[in-house]
Amino acid sequence: MSENAPQSISLDDLPLSQLQSIKSQLESEISEMTSAFSQMKQAQSAFRECKNCITSMSETKDKTIMIPLSNSLYVPGKLSNIDSVVVDVGTGYYVEKSTEDAAKYYDGKIEYVQSNAQKIQETVEQKQTSYRGLLDV
């Protein structure tokens, strides 16, 4: 048998205090992962919104739009150049990209976040199965 193979322990053989500890740990892990999953979905939604804005920019050329100066302060303006945008790539860095490259960038971000969210969801489901198995003891 391999040294790295997971060992199986019967829950019936564990003392109550250890079962309660395992239960608390599983509850904490499920809560943290559920929160992380929610944050991933919010990030994915934000990236989709950015992509939708890029896609709809051609419809707004030479039309008056409201440009936000703060959360509640706007000024009217017109887009004069819809061929490039400035993309926030994280940690205070911004990169000018063509609208096509920016759309591809956001597609990649959406796919990356979706992949990670899927992995988190699968892990949460496994933890929940373990939790329900623990409750049956």
Side-chain angles (χ1 to χ4, degrees):
M1 187 154 87
S2 171
E3 286 182 30
N4 295 334
Q7 295 181 352
S8 179
I9 299 173
S10 173
L11 293 176
D12 294 330
D13 297 338
L14 295 176
L16 182 60
S17 62
Q18 198 167 7
L19 288 173
Q20 288 173 333
S21 175
I22 293 170
K23 178 182 176 242
S24 295
Q25 181 180 352
L26 282 171
E27 287 172 343
S28 175
E29 289 174 0
I30 289 169
S31 176
E32 289 172 12
M33 290 186 157
T34 301
S35 176
F37 180 79
S38 177
Q39 290 172 355
M40 288 285 192
K41 286 300 188 181
Q42 288 173 351
Q44 187 179 33
S45 177
F47 291 140
R48 278 197 176 115
E49 181 63 26
C50 290
K51 168 91 187 291
N52 290 340
C53 287
I54 292 169
T55 305
S56 66
M57 272 189 358
S58 62
E59 300 168 6
T60 59
K61 184 174 168 101
D62 295 326
K63 292 183 182 176
T64 301
I65 60 171
M66 300 304 287
I67 300 170
L69 296 178
S70 71
N71 287 340
S72 60
L73 180 63
Y74 298 85
V75 294
K78 292 184 181 186
L79 295 177
S80 60
N81 177 7
I82 60 168
D83 297 326
S84 65
V85 293
V86 177
V87 177
D88 180 355
V89 293
T91 62
Y93 290 96
Y94 298 87
V95 176
E96 185 172 352
K97 292 182 175 278
S98 69
T99 51
E100 183 179 320
D101 286 345
K104 288 178 185 175
Y105 171 81
Y106 285 116
D107 282 338
K109 293 296 255 184
I110 291 166
E111 187 177 315
Y112 176 75
V113 170
Q114 176 63 35
S115 171
N116 285 332
Q118 181 66 32
K119 290 175 187 173
I120 290 172
Q121 183 177 10
E122 290 168 2
T123 303
V124 166
E125 289 171 359
Q126 291 171 351
K127 298 277 183 189
Q128 288 174 332
T129 300
S130 297
Y131 182 77
R132 283 190 294 273
L134 183 66
L135 292 178
D136 289 342
V137 171

